Amino acid sequence: LRTFITPSIVDFAQSIRLGRLDLLLTKPVDTQFMTSCQKLNLIRSLRGFLMFGFLVLYIQHSYPITIPTAALAFVFGILGVVGMYALYYILATTSFWLENIWNLEKIFFSMLEVGKQPFDIYQGPLRLIALYIIPVAGIGAIPTLIILHRISPLSLIFFAIATISLFIFSR
C-alpha cells in the first residue's frame, strides 16, 4: 500500500486542489487506476518484502499451518489490502469537497490504528462496524484468525462481501 498507492493518492488529492486532475480525466485510461498508480516508492516495497519474509518465517516456526490455510490467509490478506485501498481512496475523494486535505496520509493511517488493536476488544455494534461496515478491524485480524483457526466461515463470507462492497463504493 505504501509502495504503490499512498504516493499516488496523496498526489491525487493535490491534483484536485491544484486543478491538475482535468488532464488525467481526458486520458483514455480508467481514472481510478490512473490516479491510484502513478507513482512508486521502491524503498518502501523492499521494507514490505522483508517484513513479509519475517512474518512467513515466524508463522512457519510458531504454528503448524497447512497449505490450504496459508492460501486462505493470503487471499484474505490481499482482500484486506483491497479494503484498505478502498478506504484510502474514499478518504482521498473527499478532496473534492474539503479544499485542503494536506494530512490525508496521517488521517488514513490513524484510522488504521483501530485495526492494530486486539480483535476481541470490539463487542456488539462496534464489532459490527469495525468488521463489516468500515472493515478496518478485519484487515489485519482476519488472516491471523484464519491461521489460528479461530474464525467461522460465515464471518469470512461477510468480511469478503464487506470489502468487495467497499471497493465497489470507492469506484
Side-chain angles (χ1 to χ4, degrees):
L1 189 71
R2 287 186 184 221
T3 299
F4 298 106
I5 306 301
T6 299
S8 297
I9 296 237
V10 169
D11 189 57
F12 168 62
Q14 290 174 353
S15 294
I16 292 170
R17 189 171 49 87
L18 299 174
R20 295 182 308 211
L21 185 63
D22 297 338
L23 178 65
L24 289 175
L25 294 175
T26 60
K27 295 183 179 185
V29 179
D30 182 47
T31 306
Q32 185 171 359
F33 173 77
M34 188 66 133
T35 56
S36 300
C37 299
Q38 287 183 33
K39 295 182 175 187
L40 291 173
N41 188 339
L42 293 178
I43 298 298
R44 288 192 177 173
S45 85
L46 177 63
R47 178 180 172 217
F49 284 126
L50 286 172
M51 288 174 56
F52 184 74
F54 284 126
L55 178 68
V56 168
L57 286 173
Y58 175 75
I59 290 172
Q60 189 177 32
H61 291 295
S62 301
Y63 299 101
I65 186 168
T66 63
I67 292 175
T69 302
L72 189 64
F74 183 75
V75 166
F76 274 86
I78 297 296
L79 199 57
V81 170
V82 169
M84 287 189 330
Y85 163 74
L87 285 171
Y88 203 2
Y89 201 80
I90 290 168
L91 187 61
T93 56
T94 60
S95 298
F96 284 110
W97 300 281
L98 305 172
E99 186 177 320
N100 192 6
I101 299 186
W102 54 271
N103 57 353
L104 178 66
E105 188 176 4
K106 289 181 183 176
I107 293 169
F108 174 70
F109 286 106
S110 295
M111 188 172 64
L112 285 183
E113 288 295 318
V114 172
K116 292 180 181 178
Q117 305 307 316
F119 187 69
D120 296 333
I121 66 169
Y122 303 112
Q123 299 296 324
L126 186 59
R127 186 177 203 145
L128 179 73
I129 292 169
L131 187 58
Y132 301 121
I133 297 173
I134 305 173
V136 292
I139 288 168
I142 295 293
T144 305
L145 292 173
I146 289 170
I147 290 170
L148 297 174
H149 303 288
R150 289 184 35 202
I151 192 159
S152 70
L154 189 60
S155 293
L156 294 176
I157 291 168
F158 284 144
F159 179 74
I161 290 170
T163 54
I164 292 168
S165 299
L166 194 62
F167 179 74
I168 290 169
F169 182 73
S170 76
R171 297 285 298 162

